[in-house]
Amino acid sequence: MPDNNPKTLFIASDHGGFALKEYIKENLKGRIQLKDLGTNSEDSVDYPDFAHLLAGQVAGLPEASGILICGTGIGMSITANRHRNIRAALVHDQFTARMAKEHNNANIIVLGGRVLEPAEALELVQIWLDSEYENGRHQRRLEKIENRNLNSTRDVSAPIDRVDPEISRLIRQETEREESKLIMIASENCVSQAVLEAQGSALTNKYAEGYPGKRYYGGCQFVDQVEQLAIDRACALFGAEHANVQPLSGSSANMAVYFSVLNPGDKILGMNLAHGGHLTHGAFVSFSGTHYQSCYYGVDQKSETLDYDVIEEIALREKPKLIVAGASSYSRTLDFPRFRAIADKIGAMVMVDIAHIAGLVVAGAHPSPVPYADFVTTTTHKTMRGPRGGMILCRKQYAARIDKAIFPGLQGGPLMHTIAGKAVAFKEATTPEFIATQKQTVTNAAFLASCLQKKGFRIVSGGTDNHLFLIDLSDLPVKGQSAEAALDRAGITINKNGIPFDPRTPTDPSGIRIGTPIASTRGMREAEMEIVADCISSVLKHPEDNSVITETRATVRDLCSRFPVYSYRL
Ligand SMILES: *Cc1c(COP(=O)(O)O)cnc(C)c1O
């Protein structure tokens, strides 16, 4: 079945509706393909879990519909109707089944398993499926369900699916992609509903050039408090003396640090891009390589890990003004005290870029650089699980220079809705749930890497201490580009990635990068990583075998439906 089959029909029940669900499935088999979302036995369960699950799926897929069954149908219909764009109709007889479609265009039919005879219930489903929505005057009424402001000419409360169906459809399709595929891109994560709400709030309207209490615009009394909360929470979370939460991205955070303490032409020492460093650490295609003199350290060819004695030699020889630690595809723990000691030998400053590992640092799953670094930069959207953006932490002595580098140095008005999202994410990051998830992220990565090793794959550096690892495909027929494509077709999204000393080009490198943040945020653990290892292994060994791809896609889809990203969406 294609990803966006417009006729997708879901079915779900609780224990009270289980028998009827099985009966309906059995009798519709062959005519209509039903996607069963559970429950799978008569053991007692809670109906809202299944109603939310099904309603979320129906709301997220264009033209999908669903059948919900509980004892009376009442609880299921109350729950499903909490979802936007859901019209769940509890029907009792042929007339209400027909009207539910003709007048109300119900996209969910709800049945009482203890109210209806099975044959009768089946007939109601059939009537509902066969009936046609009349449209006309009913459409106005349906729109009034979702939108109470129809008479205004400036209809600001109209939902996006009315204002811009094209974009709305694409958002739904992207949401469905994120739900139904297992995203193992190491730099991605999925934020909470609370972060999404902050990001989608009226704060996007507000200009607030400057900093809390020192703005160049009026009306900042509330956004001042938002930004101050974000700053205070960031400082508390990382034990930092100062935080700037305005950087638009990880790259602009790094740029601001360079602008604050370096002059054009000054020397920076960063990790080689080809060994796992980031573009902004001195790569020649980035401002960091063109505006500054850059030199690099890399990993040892044999161990594929950093050799700090060699880094020290390079630092003593090159005498950079700033040493940058941090990486985008390095799977081992970074030794921050050693970076500090090396810098102190030549009087250099240290910037640590924890864009990838910030969440791990918060959870104590990776040592913190804060006591050792002059500057710590990060993105807020990777393991940190906040909105897309950046942040700078620094010692007090640099606070004024950093703030000036961001505004007015590099940016104009800050994105206050994003800063609100960052504040929410920082609050979430103090919860035991967040900390446990970060620890599980590391456990999952190590376990998945070891499962793949047992299947014969070579993991760069022999394993991982963090949330990611690289698979070296040199000895396989499939290489980075086709591995990425085949895995995506099978429902696992990763990225191709160079390995250290890669003889191949970045457009089709020898490796792929795999990360566990999203799988872990979704609640997956070792048992699921074992399934994922089987899937990755079969696809990499048979990348052109369509039956393997199809079978794997089904396995991944099933796995993903058991671990929803958003179990329901209001
Ligand atoms: C992702 C990343 C960045 C850049 O983040 P953007 O928000 O994409 O600009 C910077 N440094 C490192 C180490 C990264 O991995």
Side-chain angles (χ1 to χ4, degrees):
M1 205 166 38
D3 262 4
N4 295 297
N5 188 327
K7 299 257 155 52
T8 312
L9 181 59
F10 296 96
I11 189 166
S13 73
D14 69 355
H15 51 288
F18 175 72
L20 180 54
K21 171 167 73 74
E22 296 306 301
Y23 176 85
I24 289 174
K25 257 169 58 186
E26 186 56 33
N27 282 281
L28 288 181
K29 204 165 63 190
R31 276 184 288 161
I32 297 162
Q33 200 171 353
L34 278 168
K35 285 201 64 177
D36 188 353
L37 301 178
T39 183
N40 300 317
S41 75
E42 283 185 338
D43 296 344
S44 174
V45 292
D46 296 335
Y47 63 82
D49 295 341
F50 294 91
H52 279 309
L53 180 62
L54 184 137
Q57 298 275 336
V58 171
L61 261 182
E63 291 179 65
S65 52
I67 304 168
L68 281 174
I69 313 163
C70 62
T72 60
I74 295 171
M76 284 285 200
S77 61
I78 290 173
T79 311
N81 280 315
R82 293 281 172 103
H83 290 247
R84 173 172 269 197
N85 295 320
I86 287 298
R87 293 171 303 278
L90 173 55
V91 304
H92 294 104
D93 51 31
Q94 301 195 358
F95 181 68
T96 49
R98 186 157 57 80
M99 283 299 125
K101 180 60 85 47
E102 288 182 357
H103 286 191
N104 310 110
N105 199 19
N107 48 9
I108 294 177
I109 184 173
V110 192
L111 305 165
R114 293 177 180 144
V115 181
L116 298 163
E117 289 302 320
E120 196 185 354
L122 181 66
E123 201 168 357
L124 301 188
V125 169
Q126 201 59 63
I127 289 171
W128 168 72
L129 285 171
D130 293 343
S131 302
E132 292 239 2
Y133 172 49
E134 285 177 6
N135 222 307
R137 68 186 190 281
H138 301 295
Q139 186 57 28
R140 184 182 71 241
R141 292 165 185 166
L142 292 197
E143 281 167 12
K144 282 190 173 176
I145 297 175
E146 298 293 337
N147 172 24
R148 273 171 245 116
N149 198 18
L150 266 186
N151 295 326
S152 163
T153 46
R154 198 181 117 273
D155 196 358
V156 289
S157 67
I160 188 170
D161 55 0
R162 273 195 41 219
V163 175
D164 190 339
E166 269 173 298
I167 290 294
S168 171
R169 184 181 168 84
L170 291 168
I171 293 172
R172 283 189 199 197
Q173 285 177 323
E174 169 61 13
T175 309
E176 166 63 13
R177 184 190 70 83
E178 292 182 18
E179 285 284 0
S180 74
K181 286 191 170 178
L182 183 58
I183 317 284
M184 304 202 85
I185 292 180
S187 50
E188 294 184 1
N189 212 328
C190 42
V191 302
S192 67
Q193 189 73 35
V195 170
L196 282 185
E197 281 176 27
Q199 280 269 92
S201 71
L203 272 63
T204 195
N205 298 328
K206 189 70 200 97
Y207 245 115
E209 282 181 352
Y211 290 95
K214 301 179 290 269
R215 304 284 191 189
Y216 293 86
Y217 283 84
C220 290
Q221 54 271 46
F222 303 114
V223 291
D224 268 6
Q225 295 175 57
V226 167
E227 184 165 352
Q228 196 56 53
L229 277 168
I231 292 168
D232 294 345
R233 286 174 185 174
C235 287
L237 208 50
F238 289 92
E241 292 177 11
H242 180 73
N244 186 307
V245 295
Q246 294 191 2
L248 304 175
S249 69
S251 295
S252 57
N254 290 348
M255 188 187 263
V257 170
Y258 300 164
F259 270 36
S260 71
V261 292
L262 300 179
N263 293 310
D266 280 350
K267 198 180 262 185
I268 55 178
L269 170 61
M271 187 166 176
N272 188 342
L273 181 64
H275 290 199
H278 189 259
L279 283 165
T280 55
H281 297 183
F284 70 92
V285 291
S286 140
F287 77 94
S288 62
T290 53
H291 283 57
Y292 304 98
Q293 253 193 82
S294 48
C295 50
Y296 311 105
Y297 56 86
V299 297
D300 174 71
Q301 188 148 13
K302 194 148 171 291
S303 67
E304 298 172 304
T305 60
L306 292 175
D307 179 334
Y308 292 88
D309 294 336
V310 175
I311 298 176
E312 179 167 323
E313 271 172 39
I314 299 171
L316 292 175
R317 188 177 68 232
E318 299 283 347
K319 301 216 169 33
K321 196 163 166 189
L322 177 75
I323 298 179
V324 181
S328 299
S329 51
Y330 182 65
S331 64
R332 295 304 185 175
T333 301
L334 294 167
D335 186 347
F336 301 127
R338 187 68 199 271
F339 273 109
R340 178 80 258 168
I342 293 169
D344 285 345
K345 289 202 167 169
I346 53 167
M349 292 172 287
V350 174
M351 178 183 106
V352 180
D353 177 348
I354 55 168
H356 262 265
I357 56 171
L360 308 186
V361 168
V362 167
H366 189 290
S368 169
V370 171
Y372 307 100
D374 300 283
F375 310 96
V376 174
T377 58
T378 184
T379 63
T380 47
H381 49 272
K382 299 183 185 176
T383 52
M384 198 56 228
R385 217 166 76 187
R388 191 154 288 283
M391 173 167 75
I392 304 168
L393 306 169
C394 67
R395 299 194 172 161
K396 234 188 179 77
Q397 69 189 100
Y398 299 112
R401 269 189 279 177
I402 286 292
D403 286 353
K404 266 171 77 177
I406 287 287
F407 175 85
L410 278 167
Q411 296 180 183
L415 308 184
M416 294 315 305
H417 56 304
T418 299
I419 290 173
K422 291 173 187 177
V424 173
F426 297 155
K427 178 161 189 186
E428 288 174 343
T430 61
T431 61
E433 180 274 337
F434 179 89
I435 289 163
T437 301
Q438 296 293 326
K439 291 185 170 153
Q440 189 64 40
T441 302
V442 175
T443 306
N444 282 346
F447 186 76
L448 179 58
S450 79
C451 290
L452 288 164
Q453 273 171 327
K454 284 188 199 127
K455 294 175 189 294
F457 293 94
R458 193 182 88 77
I459 307 298
V460 170
S461 88
T464 175
D465 305 324
N466 58 27
H467 61 298
L468 64 79
F469 56 87
L470 299 175
I471 305 181
D472 176 7
L473 303 170
S474 300
D475 292 337
L476 280 119
V478 70
K479 295 294 182 278
Q481 190 172 20
S482 39
E484 178 185 296
L487 281 166
D488 190 58
R489 271 187 287 132
I492 296 177
T493 305
I494 52 93
N495 64 283
K496 62 186 181 217
N497 211 105
I499 58 170
F501 308 99
D502 202 327
R504 302 175 61 87
T505 62
T507 48
D508 190 15
S510 303
I512 52 174
R513 186 179 68 164
I514 298 197
T516 52
I518 291 185
S520 310
T521 293
R522 296 178 80 146
M524 296 180 192
R525 304 173 66 86
E526 287 92 322
E528 288 74 39
M529 291 305 104
E530 218 160 325
I531 299 171
V532 173
D534 284 339
C535 291
I536 292 173
S537 170
S538 330
V539 173
L540 291 180
K541 286 173 182 165
H542 310 281
E544 274 150 36
D545 184 333
N546 278 331
S547 66
V548 168
I549 301 287
T550 309
E551 211 173 288
T552 308
R553 181 72 191 102
T555 306
V556 173
R557 215 180 251 288
D558 175 62
L559 184 63
C560 288
S561 71
R562 289 195 287 123
F563 295 89
V565 177
Y566 298 104
S567 48
Y568 57 92
R569 194 176 265 285
L570 295 180

